[in-house]
């Protein structure tokens, strides 16, 4: 049986969150007493209250230090709620004065110097400690009983109303409230979202008008109930953690999750597994992995099989729906970007046309793997980036175009709830992205020996033009490598290159580029950020590789940084590119002079120089005027 409510967090987001928290310590000092062995004495109950408070304190402290600031004091406090007057107190004080039985919840509050005890409008999240949350779960569904849910709704609505009536200027996302439901082992999250201004308030019947508001204007999401505390009373930090307050964090979940690769690498070194890192297919396969080659070896076969089920076959037709239309695509060819499959497909109504089609990861895959993160960047994030580029009017011959995006239409009847979400079918809700144009990747051209001098100069010009267009709106690519540049050959016109793979694009300051040992810029490897010349630097490495330049057989960031420093200082990269063309050599010198400085790239000068060079090669033949 399918759950009645939507879930507040998608599994893929929780998975990213979990990766992001690998390096963060949550120190719970007060252990949760074990329900099985503990007596039902007051002291066990008191300890349970204190453990919940300690859990909340350790959570907000860990998250504050990980995402916001190590140095600034944490702006939150934890307090418990007293049933008789619904005011906040310190649990220790309440317990000491014999009021344990009157405690009804524990909350995380924004500190307010004028009200040190805490006020309702400063309440960020509330945890209800109720015995037997897990046993209250109905047999076929993993959701708490209506009684506990009703209590959660009451408190959530009270939080929303208090924020609405507050005279403080609250930096809260004030339309949603989170309530945790916990017992001494299990926990779940209820999220209530809605505009309380829409409540038709009736003083004579407050419960009725509240119930009406919930029915008409609230969105309620309930997570499954999961095990939180083990037998020793230690928390399993992966499963819970729904803090929401405004003020953008300094570090994004993506940044911290991106370090997962480095941590895996460190772990492998610790375990002395270092020798098996480069597999049979050698350097080339190794460098195609965005984050770290180690991930290839540790992947779980069972997970691979699971994602296998979504692979399309040549000759099949895949149907896609958006809110307005349905469209079919014939799968003509299966391609790989080095680690993930994608397709060349034709619209059913226009079989002559070829498009790239990407199939995303299922939103609730049971055992999400690290590969799903890459799939997420390839499909979901890239859809977002291309949509934003479209909205900003960024287009051009050398940029990919969003042709369609939506969700897959699966075989059989779809029984998803009208409120949204997915049905039980394993494909339900899988996102699809369709782009144009199609072409051969530089990686394929190099391995087939199709990448020559003409191609190098054109490729550099066309990619620079794409970068120049995107940077006019402050967007950077962040993942330039041979799999992300394609050569388009269509009919009469001269072949040209298109920069694809925009899933890792930098839209705002906190976005982080992909980490690629061979093609990432020096600044990206050192700082995890891009400077103005970083994309151009990656482009130079890619051309160096495509023109036959060798990369060292290294697998550490330190080694790669050392190689970059030595190669630039001895001008080895310039020399290699100089064998191909003087303008490429000059361009590499220019990029070298700019790297790590705050000065902006002058795209126009270089686009003109490359164009002149292409014109000379063409012996004055007419050349495309678009830049
Ligand atoms: Zn469905």
């Amino acid at each position: 049986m399918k759950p009645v409510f939507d879930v507040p967090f998608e599994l893929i987001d929780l998975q990213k969150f979990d990766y992001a928290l690998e390096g963060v310590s949550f120190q719970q000092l007060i252990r949760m007493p074990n329900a099985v062995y503990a007596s039902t004495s007051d002291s066990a109950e008191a300890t349970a209250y204190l453990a919940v408070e300690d859990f909340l304190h350790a959570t907000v402290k860990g998250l504050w230090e990980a995402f916001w600031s190590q140095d600034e004091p944490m702006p939150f406090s934890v307090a418990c709620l007293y049933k008789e007057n619904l005011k906040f107190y310190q649990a220790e004080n309440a317990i000491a004065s014999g009021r344990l039985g009157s405690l009804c919840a524990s909350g995380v509050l924004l500190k307010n110097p004028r009200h040190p005890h805490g006020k309702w409008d400063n309440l960020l999240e509330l945890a209800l400690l109720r015995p037997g949350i897990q046993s209250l779960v109905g047999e076929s569904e993993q959701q708490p009983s209506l009684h506990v849910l009703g209590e959660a709704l009451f408190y959530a609505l009270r939080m929303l109303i208090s924020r609405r009536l507050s005279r403080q200027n609250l930096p809260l996302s004030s339309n949603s409230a989170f309530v945790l439901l916990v017992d001494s082992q299990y926990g779940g999250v209820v999220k209530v979202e809605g505009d309380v201004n829409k409540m038709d308030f009736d003083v004579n019947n407050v419960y009725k008008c509240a119930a009406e508001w919930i029915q008409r204007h609230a969105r309620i999401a309930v997570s499954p109930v999961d095990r939180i505390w083990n037998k020793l009373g230690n928390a399993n930090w992966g499963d819970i953690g729904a803090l929401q307050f405004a003020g953008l964090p300094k570090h994004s979940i993506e940044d911290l999750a991106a370090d997962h690769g480095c941590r895996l690498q460190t772990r492998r070194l610790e375990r002395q597994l270092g020798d098996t890192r480069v597999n049979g297919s050698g350097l080339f396969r190794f460098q195609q992995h965005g984050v770290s080659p180690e991930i290839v070896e540790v992947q779980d076969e069972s997970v691979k099989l699971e994602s296998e089920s979504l692979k399309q076959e040549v000759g099949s037709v895949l149907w896609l729906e958006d809110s307005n239309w349905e469209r079919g695509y014939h799968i003509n060819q299966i391609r790989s970007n080095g680690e993930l499959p994608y397709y060349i497909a034709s619209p059913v109504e226009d079989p002559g046309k070829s498009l790239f089609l990407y199939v995303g990861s299922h939103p609730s895959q049971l055992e999400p793997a690290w590969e799903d993160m890459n799939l997420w960047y390839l499909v979901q994030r890239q859809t977002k980036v291309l949509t934003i580029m479209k909205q900003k009017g960024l287009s051009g011959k050398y940029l990919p175009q969003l042709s369609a995006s939506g969700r897959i239409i699966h075989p059989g009847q779809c029984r998803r709830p009208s409120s949204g979400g997915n049905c039980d079918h394993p494909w339900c809700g899988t996102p699809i992205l369709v782009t144009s144009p199609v072409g051969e990747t530089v990686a394929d051209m190099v391995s087939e020996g199709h990448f020559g001098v003409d191609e190098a100069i054109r490729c550099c010009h066309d990619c620079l033009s794409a970068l120049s267009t995107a940077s006019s709106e402050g967007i950077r690519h962040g993942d330039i490598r041979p799999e992300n540049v394609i050569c388009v050959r269509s009919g009469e016109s001269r072949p040209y290159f298109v920069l694809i793979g925009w899933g890792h694009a930098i839209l705002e300051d906190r976005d982080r580029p992909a980490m690629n040992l061979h093609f990432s810029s020096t600044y990206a490897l050192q700082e995890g950020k891009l400077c103005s010349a970083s994309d151009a630097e990656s482009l130079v490495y890619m051309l160096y590789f495509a023109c036959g330049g060798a990369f060292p057989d290294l697998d550490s960031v330190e080694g790669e940084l050392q190689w970059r420093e030595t190669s630039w200082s001895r001008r080895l990269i310039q020399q290699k590119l100089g064998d191909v063309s003087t303008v490429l050599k000059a361009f590499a010198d220019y990029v070298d002079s700019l790297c790590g400085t705050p000065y902006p790239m002058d795209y126009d000068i270089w686009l003109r120089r490359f164009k002149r060079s292409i014109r000379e090669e063409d012996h004055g033949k007419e050349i495309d005027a678009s830049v």
Side-chain angles (χ1 to χ4, degrees):
M1 197 174 129
K2 154 183 97 204
V4 183
F5 295 103
D6 287 343
V7 291
F9 317 103
E10 293 294 347
L11 204 56
I12 184 89
D13 295 328
L14 288 179
Q15 178 210 0
K16 251 192 297 171
F17 191 56
D18 182 46
Y19 280 133
L21 296 181
E22 274 172 353
V24 182
S25 89
F26 294 95
Q27 196 174 37
Q28 181 164 7
L29 297 179
I30 300 174
R31 305 288 191 264
M32 180 59 84
N34 189 303
V36 182
Y37 302 109
S39 64
T40 50
S41 68
D42 271 7
S43 88
E45 205 189 328
T47 312
Y49 253 104
L50 297 174
V52 169
E53 283 208 345
D54 199 43
F55 171 79
L56 294 175
H57 179 84
T59 307
V60 291
K61 185 168 183 282
L63 294 179
W64 173 256
E65 288 174 0
F67 289 99
W68 278 267
S69 177
Q70 293 273 2
D71 311 317
E72 289 160 54
M74 181 174 83
F76 310 108
S77 63
V78 173
C80 68
L81 193 61
Y82 190 58
K83 182 150 60 176
E84 316 297 331
N85 57 8
L86 290 186
K87 287 187 173 172
F88 294 96
Y89 296 91
Q90 291 305 312
E92 279 170 35
N93 296 346
I95 291 166
S97 57
R99 299 211 174 99
L100 174 66
S102 297
L103 299 182
C104 61
S106 307
V108 176
L109 298 114
L110 201 57
K111 276 184 192 162
N112 180 345
R114 294 174 58 194
H115 299 274
H117 284 298
K119 287 185 70 200
W120 268 88
D121 42 344
N122 295 127
L123 183 61
L124 299 163
E125 182 178 272
L126 201 64
L128 307 184
L129 177 64
R130 297 290 178 270
I133 288 286
Q134 218 266 338
S135 62
L136 292 173
V137 170
E139 278 189 3
S140 53
E141 41 182 336
Q142 261 199 313
Q143 271 162 352
S145 75
L146 291 178
H147 175 76
V148 182
L149 276 181
E151 246 192 308
L153 294 184
F154 168 80
Y155 287 113
L157 185 53
R158 193 176 159 132
M159 280 161 83
L160 292 174
I161 292 175
S162 306
R163 289 179 200 169
R164 170 73 198 98
L165 299 177
S166 173
R167 270 172 302 195
Q168 300 174 49
N169 190 10
L170 293 170
L172 295 169
S173 157
S174 48
N175 272 349
S176 52
F178 289 95
V179 178
L180 309 185
L181 306 174
V182 296
D183 62 19
S184 62
Q185 288 175 289
Y186 293 88
V189 181
V190 177
K191 179 185 179 188
V192 178
E193 191 175 10
D195 183 359
V196 281
N197 287 325
K198 294 192 177 146
M199 185 181 295
D200 217 354
F201 195 68
D202 178 0
V203 209
N204 296 317
N205 203 339
V206 288
Y207 288 103
K208 181 162 172 272
C209 65
E212 276 173 4
W213 178 83
I214 287 171
Q215 282 172 340
R216 286 190 201 150
H217 303 294
R219 260 189 61 129
I220 295 165
V222 182
S223 78
V225 169
D226 274 322
R227 179 118 193 186
I228 306 296
W229 286 279
N230 66 16
K231 277 186 186 167
L232 302 177
N234 279 314
N236 166 15
W237 294 101
D239 285 350
I240 206 164
L243 262 192
Q244 193 190 332
F245 48 93
L248 286 178
K250 287 183 182 165
H251 305 287
S252 69
I253 288 178
E254 274 81 15
D255 307 345
L256 294 184
D259 293 338
H260 177 73
C262 297
R263 289 190 286 260
L264 268 184
Q265 190 164 331
T266 311
R267 174 61 51 86
R268 286 179 58 81
L269 286 175
E270 281 166 12
R271 296 187 52 210
Q272 302 180 327
L273 297 173
D275 293 342
T276 53
R277 62 199 171 237
V278 180
N279 58 25
S281 53
L283 180 67
F284 197 65
R285 173 162 167 73
F286 156 60
Q287 68 197 214
Q288 288 169 333
H289 290 272
V291 180
S292 156
E294 272 65 28
I295 287 157
V296 188
E297 271 85 34
V298 297
Q299 71 189 2
D300 181 351
E301 291 299 317
S302 64
V303 171
K304 251 178 137 183
L305 286 176
E306 193 157 352
S307 22
E308 211 92 41
S309 63
L310 262 178
K311 282 189 184 147
Q312 306 298 311
E313 280 171 22
V314 170
S316 64
V317 174
L318 180 149
W319 287 88
L320 164 62
E321 68 173 344
D322 161 321
S323 44
N324 304 315
W325 43 256
E326 295 184 356
R327 222 174 267 180
Y329 293 91
H330 266 290
I331 304 290
N332 302 328
Q333 229 186 86
I334 301 175
R335 294 286 196 87
S336 166
N337 78 344
E339 49 195 358
L340 299 165
Y342 62 100
Y343 308 93
I344 292 184
S346 309
V348 166
E349 77 272 18
D350 188 0
K353 202 167 165 185
S354 281
L355 300 162
F356 279 145
L357 186 148
Y358 304 91
V359 179
S361 59
H362 186 260
S364 66
Q365 194 141 340
L366 284 174
E367 285 293 330
W370 180 252
E371 288 85 81
D372 283 354
M373 282 287 291
N374 292 332
L375 206 51
W376 181 83
Y377 277 111
L378 186 68
V379 183
Q380 280 101 316
R381 179 98 202 302
Q382 183 163 219
T383 303
K384 177 183 165 186
V385 173
L386 293 181
T387 306
I388 287 173
M389 285 167 66
K390 201 171 183 175
Q391 283 161 356
K392 290 182 185 274
L394 296 179
S395 66
K397 188 175 172 184
Y398 311 117
L399 288 171
Q401 261 197 320
L402 181 78
S403 168
S405 70
R407 39 190 284 162
I408 202 167
I409 302 178
H410 57 74
Q413 203 175 2
C414 184
R415 298 174 198 279
R416 71 170 185 263
S418 54
S419 59
N422 303 315
C423 75
D424 295 336
H425 194 282
W427 293 9
C428 199
T430 299
I432 306 286
L433 168 65
V434 185
T435 67
S436 66
V438 299
E440 187 184 14
T441 64
V442 168
D444 289 339
M445 292 172 81
V446 170
S447 63
E448 314 236 318
H450 292 165
F451 199 90
V453 175
D454 281 4
E455 282 77 17
I457 296 170
R458 265 174 211 289
C459 178
C460 193
H461 169 273
D462 298 354
C463 290
L464 266 189
S465 176
L467 292 175
S468 161
T469 307
S471 74
S472 69
E473 286 288 343
I475 297 175
R476 293 187 184 148
H477 188 278
D479 191 18
I480 295 181
R481 55 191 167 104
E483 295 80 18
N484 279 343
V485 179
I486 54 167
C487 179
V488 181
R489 295 167 207 275
S490 61
E492 304 295 294
S493 73
R494 205 170 271 115
Y496 60 95
F497 290 84
V498 174
L499 184 54
I500 63 169
W502 287 80
H504 282 277
I506 311 297
L507 302 176
E508 45 189 302
D509 214 30
R510 64 202 177 98
D511 294 336
R512 293 298 149 106
M515 288 299 232
N516 184 298
L517 289 178
H518 287 150
F519 300 107
S520 283
S521 66
T522 305
Y523 200 63
L525 287 184
Q526 278 171 338
E527 306 287 332
K529 288 182 184 173
L530 297 190
C531 65
S532 139
S534 290
D535 277 333
E537 188 186 339
S538 295
L539 181 58
V540 167
Y541 296 139
M542 188 190 81
L543 292 167
Y544 167 82
F545 162 78
C547 294
F551 284 114
D553 204 0
L554 297 171
D555 73 330
S556 71
V557 171
E558 292 71 28
E560 288 291 339
L561 286 170
Q562 185 63 50
W563 177 80
R564 281 162 174 70
E565 201 188 321
T566 316
S567 308
W568 284 114
S569 67
R570 295 190 194 151
R571 302 189 71 240
L572 298 177
I573 294 169
Q574 289 94 319
Q575 275 170 31
K576 184 78 204 170
L577 291 176
D579 295 344
V580 180
S581 122
T582 46
V583 62
L584 276 181
K585 181 181 183 181
F587 177 64
D589 269 327
Y590 172 71
V591 169
D592 182 33
S593 72
L594 215 57
C595 281
T597 73
Y599 305 115
M601 277 283 297
D602 190 338
Y603 288 104
D604 290 344
I605 285 187
W606 287 98
L607 287 172
R608 277 202 298 275
R609 289 189 70 173
F610 279 112
K611 214 180 240 181
R612 208 181 307 136
S613 165
I614 294 171
R615 204 175 290 139
E616 281 161 14
E617 306 248 345
D618 285 351
H619 305 293
K621 273 184 257 169
E622 199 192 332
I623 181 160
D624 193 304
S626 67
V627 169

